[in-house]
Amino acid sequence: MIAAFNIVSFLFLLLPVSVLAHGYVGSVTIDGKVYQGNVPGGTANPSVIRQVSTIDPVKGATNPSLNCGMNATMASDVANANPGSQILVSWVGGATGDSEWPHNVGPIMHYMTQCSGSCSSFDSTSAEWFKISELGLETSDTWYQANLDVGQPANVTIPSNIEPGNYLLRSEIISLQLATSVGGAEFYPACIQLTIGGSGTGAPQSNEVCQFPGGYSDTDPGIYTPNIYNPPITYTFPGPPVAGFVNGSSSSGSGSGTTSSPAATGSPTPSMGTCYSSFLYTPPHVT
Ligand SMILES: *[C@@H]1O[C@H](CO)[C@@H](O)[C@H](O)[C@H]1NC(C)=O
Ligand SMILES: *[C@@H]1O[C@H](CO)[C@@H](O)[C@H](O)[C@H]1NC(C)=O
Ligand SMILES: *[C@@H]1O[C@H](CO)[C@@H](O)[C@H](O)[C@H]1NC(C)=O
């Protein structure tokens, strides 16, 4: 009896550990103002952060939840921001966000897309996203993502010349600790609803945008990473390059600019620029 009880209590002790192994965006801070997120699958309080259904990762580059996180639902509020606004995205761990982000290998990337109408009612399924930042290795063998493990937020700056409008900010962590196998990468996307003021003119070129799913393949060099634990690591970011206007190098409308070669391999199509077309993918499988 005592032995059986001990085994049962041992299993109970083990279970929460696996639940704690993932996480979500607990809050965002925009120019010093804090906006709370909702617990995954919990009560949907007013927020600017689209709520996800679980702390578990999105698996597979063709998963529809690659768009804004697992089964994400639109949020009721929109936050004001401006060109140059400093945004801190607080990724937290555990079912209720009471622990720190648990992963430390892989990139942190931020994308944006313009909402038609308010972002609180914008279906981003077919949205064209552009990348505004990508952070990978901070030293030869440590990743910026490891800073989240010690309670630091992810940092991103709204491009200083972005044209005003309604935008979703897509904060994405990819955790690569299992990505030595195809399909092992863990995607954690999250979408934050913004209205951006100012009088900028910056916008991406048509070959700098992609859809999610659509922008990644499970075999991209930065998603399937068999040598991630064999230094020296050279990391290739997936998705399109950071949009040229982000660094002030171009703005929309000229159509004359050329961009550097894409980070991801594959067969770019004229309509999708650097991104994959979703019809090129094999259908997602459920395990
Ligand atoms: C996501 O939504 C689908 C369809 O409603 C459902 O079958 C699935 O269980 C949900 N997944 C999670 C993790 O909540
Ligand atoms: C902007 O340009 C600088 C200098 O060329 C470069 O180091 C930096 O990575 C660029 N930033 C982005 C977001 O591409
Ligand atoms: C964000 O910036 C703060 C302050 O510079 C820094 O401590 C933290 O590590 C940064 N976050 C990441 C994920 O690098």
Side-chain angles (χ1 to χ4, degrees):
M1 286 299 282
I2 288 172
F5 172 79
N6 283 344
I7 288 167
V8 168
S9 47
F10 177 69
L11 289 175
F12 270 106
L13 286 174
L14 276 184
L15 284 172
V17 174
S18 62
V19 170
L20 286 171
H22 305 303
Y24 64 100
V25 174
S27 65
V28 294
T29 304
I30 302 175
D31 295 332
K33 182 171 181 186
V34 179
Y35 299 85
Q36 293 297 329
N38 281 307
V39 167
T43 305
N45 297 312
S47 177
V48 304
I49 307 167
R50 293 192 171 185
Q51 185 179 22
V52 294
S53 64
T54 173
I55 62 171
D56 291 340
V58 177
K59 298 298 291 285
T62 59
N63 192 320
S65 288
L66 196 62
N67 194 268
C68 274
M70 192 66 90
N71 286 352
T73 52
M74 293 170 199
S76 58
D77 292 351
V78 175
N80 289 319
N82 283 298
S85 283
Q86 304 289 323
I87 303 198
L88 314 181
V89 184
S90 294
W91 286 91
V92 294
T96 56
D98 54 3
S99 57
E100 271 149 21
W101 182 254
H103 305 303
N104 56 16
V105 176
I108 302 172
M109 296 178 287
H110 286 89
Y111 294 84
M112 295 179 78
T113 193
Q114 208 155 351
C115 303
S116 58
S118 170
C119 291
S120 62
S121 57
F122 176 64
D123 178 353
S124 56
T125 304
S126 303
E128 301 278 1
W129 302 86
F130 57 94
K131 191 185 276 177
I132 61 166
S133 81
E134 53 189 17
L135 291 171
L137 289 160
E138 185 170 19
T139 69
S140 61
D141 61 356
T142 64
W143 298 76
Y144 284 98
Q145 187 176 155
N147 294 323
L148 307 179
D149 293 25
V150 292
Q152 297 295 329
N155 309 294
V156 64
T157 302
I158 298 298
S160 59
N161 188 37
I162 195 168
E163 66 182 14
N166 300 315
Y167 288 88
L168 287 176
L169 172 67
R170 181 176 178 275
S171 184
E172 181 180 42
I173 294 170
I174 304 181
S175 295
L176 296 173
Q177 69 277 1
L178 300 176
T180 49
S181 304
V182 173
E186 298 183 349
F187 302 95
Y188 298 92
C191 289
I192 299 147
Q193 300 175 172
L194 303 176
T195 294
I196 295 178
S199 56
T201 56
Q205 310 237 0
S206 60
N207 62 351
E208 295 173 327
V209 299
C210 65
Q211 298 180 353
F212 288 111
Y216 300 159
S217 157
D218 284 326
T219 53
D220 280 352
I223 290 176
Y224 166 49
T225 53
N227 293 314
I228 202 73
Y229 295 113
N230 296 337
I233 304 163
T234 54
Y235 184 71
T236 303
F237 290 97
V242 172
F245 86 91
V246 172
N247 256 350
S249 70
S250 67
S251 63
S252 69
S254 76
S256 60
T258 55
T259 57
S260 57
S261 55
T265 59
S267 306
T269 65
S271 62
M272 295 292 290
T274 55
C275 289
Y276 296 79
S277 296
S278 19
F279 64 79
L280 292 177
Y281 287 105
T282 52
H285 66 279
V286 178
T287 54

